[in-house]
Amino acid sequence: MTGMLPYGRQSINEDDIAAVADVLRGDWLTTGPQVDAFEADLARWTGGVGVAAVSNGTAALHVAYAAAGVGPGDEVVVPPMTFVATASSAAALGAKIVFADVEDETFCLDPAAAAAAVTSRTTVVAAVDYAGHPADYDALRTSVKGSDALLLADAAHSIGGTYRGRPVGSLADLTTFSFFPTKNLTTAEGGAVAALDPQVLKRARRFRGVGVVRERDDLRFPDEGGWHQEVHEFGLNYRLPDVLCALGRSQLRRLGEFTARRSALVARYDEALADLGGVLLPTRKPWADPAWHLYPIRVLDGRRREVYDRMRAAGIGVQVNYIPVHWHPAFADLGYRRGSCPVAESFYSQQLSLPLYPGLSDADQDRVIDALTAAVRVGSVRTAA
């Protein structure tokens, strides 16, 4: 057996290394000119929507919820098929999390379930672009119509994707991105918040900068001196440094290439696995052009654990994405119960992510396909016998 194939991996080239080295030789390591430049580059992928770079994807969610005014007594609607941070970052601000189930094809937030969950206390409805497939944002807009709730897109998986021809980052009031190494581009650790409303973006930038106010027109005591700064509302240090923004700018130049390669790998999986019994393949809505962060299959007949173990033993780093958020003990201890989101829970019991990243070669992908085929068929033969 050759080495373990990861389910996701960064793609770093000499241009990325050179971009980082140039910053290390300069005067700025923390907040400097590369931050503004990275935010401007990101805005070209969001259809011109303004962006604030932050230290990681969880920070992006925390900043976005804070900019939306989430606080104690508010409710935030979240789908359970996501990483826990989509919910926990709002809970950290004092919000009550209301879980709403997902659709049974894309496993993104179900607009009907979201509409049923919205109350007069709902501040944010957070959709998640699961696996890189955009949620149905037009339908979700209808779900929040008549309320004061803002719509948030957790686009940790989907930068570079489009919905009805419109780019991810322009579809919701707030959009959050993650640039963790396994994501569609990386800054090592990093994230960003996009906001349609310039005032919301301004609040996001202040919150990620410890709440510090420096603009003279906004100061309460503007004549104290050139050193003067004020904090009007508390924030946290969620800044993304120049050295990582330089890496992000270099990565963005290849985002189109990364997205195309992911799509090509998805097409190869689709063709090779189309006739494999015992599994279901991911679907795509006609109005979506996904960024394909994950390739999530469903293993049927209660065999997900068996197939997972066989694939791992064969050196294939399959993963499960995700444990339903309300199943985590932190939420169970607050009274959330299993069975409340049956579509997400059923999907979790079957879900398995196959390796998918731009550097995955055709030969290594064939190795994944062969291992999956063997794992599924061996169990099927044993069951039939």
Side-chain angles (χ1 to χ4, degrees), residues 1-356:
M1 183 186 77
T2 56
M4 177 74 76
L5 282 177
Y7 90 96
R9 190 177 190 278
Q10 69 272 20
S11 175
I12 301 295
N13 67 9
E14 291 301 318
D15 289 341
D16 298 330
I17 295 168
V20 171
D22 284 346
V23 173
L24 290 173
R25 294 187 186 101
D27 295 327
W28 297 93
L29 291 182
T30 56
T31 303
Q34 291 295 325
V35 177
D36 290 342
F38 182 45
E39 291 175 349
D41 289 349
L42 281 169
R44 296 187 185 101
W45 287 92
T46 63
V49 177
V51 178
V54 298
S55 55
N56 55 67
T58 300
L61 287 158
H62 197 190
V63 168
Y65 288 134
V70 171
D74 294 329
E75 294 179 354
V76 173
V77 176
V78 176
M81 190 44 53
T82 183
F83 184 58
V84 66
T86 312
S88 62
S89 53
L93 290 165
K96 176 185 176 182
I97 306 303
V98 179
F99 290 103
D101 213 347
V102 297
E103 295 184 307
D104 62 4
E105 290 185 310
T106 65
F107 303 102
C108 298
L109 180 62
D110 183 342
V118 170
T119 73
S120 60
R121 296 182 297 278
T122 305
T123 305
V124 173
V125 171
V128 176
D129 294 344
Y130 181 77
H133 191 296
D136 191 347
Y137 286 99
D138 287 351
L140 287 167
R141 283 286 183 197
T142 301
S143 298
V144 301
K145 190 174 182 180
S147 76
D148 293 327
L150 296 181
L151 182 60
L152 181 146
D154 181 340
H157 294 181
S158 60
I159 188 170
T162 63
Y163 167 84
R164 301 188 187 278
R166 289 144 37 206
V168 168
S170 68
L171 306 172
D173 299 300
L174 287 151
T175 304
T176 63
F177 299 108
S178 171
F179 307 132
F180 189 73
T182 59
K183 297 300 196 298
N184 299 43
L185 71 117
T186 189
T187 57
E189 286 277 7
V193 178
L196 297 181
D197 185 337
Q199 290 304 309
V200 174
L201 181 63
K202 186 176 183 179
R203 291 200 297 271
R205 286 179 168 157
R206 284 188 178 169
F207 189 85
R208 63 103 188 257
V210 202
V212 171
V213 177
R214 293 189 176 90
E215 300 90 343
R216 180 178 173 82
D217 289 347
D218 293 336
L219 295 173
R220 296 185 188 178
F221 304 97
D223 298 321
E224 290 294 305
W227 67 86
H228 187 62
Q229 60 188 22
E230 299 171 354
V231 172
H232 299 172
E233 295 181 277
F234 296 127
L236 294 169
N237 181 358
Y238 281 150
R239 296 187 295 262
L240 187 66
D242 248 40
V243 65
L244 298 186
C245 286
L247 174 58
R249 294 187 71 200
S250 182
Q251 287 267 300
L252 272 175
R253 296 184 191 108
R254 291 191 289 148
L255 181 55
E257 172 191 327
F258 292 159
T259 304
R261 177 57 180 164
R262 286 175 179 274
S263 293
L265 290 166
V266 166
R268 290 189 87 245
Y269 273 139
D270 286 347
E271 181 178 4
L273 301 175
D275 297 324
L276 180 62
V279 301
L280 296 177
L281 307 186
T283 60
R284 168 183 167 177
K285 294 288 190 178
W287 39 255
D289 186 6
W292 291 121
H293 168 60
L294 301 174
Y295 190 82
I297 66 168
R298 283 180 278 171
V299 181
L300 306 180
D301 303 319
R303 299 185 57 220
R304 192 268 307 276
R305 173 67 180 271
E306 173 194 343
V307 172
Y308 172 93
D309 288 342
R310 289 182 179 276
M311 295 283 282
R312 285 273 175 162
I316 309 300
V318 290
Q319 187 56 278
V320 172
N321 305 97
Y322 295 95
I323 298 168
V325 177
H326 61 296
W327 284 19
H328 286 289
F331 283 98
D333 290 348
L334 293 173
Y336 295 88
R337 293 291 176 258
R338 299 186 180 204
S340 60
C341 294
V343 178
E345 294 173 38
S346 175
F347 177 59
Y348 163 70
S349 71
Q350 301 171 333
Q351 196 277 335
L352 196 66
S353 297
L354 303 185
L356 183 66

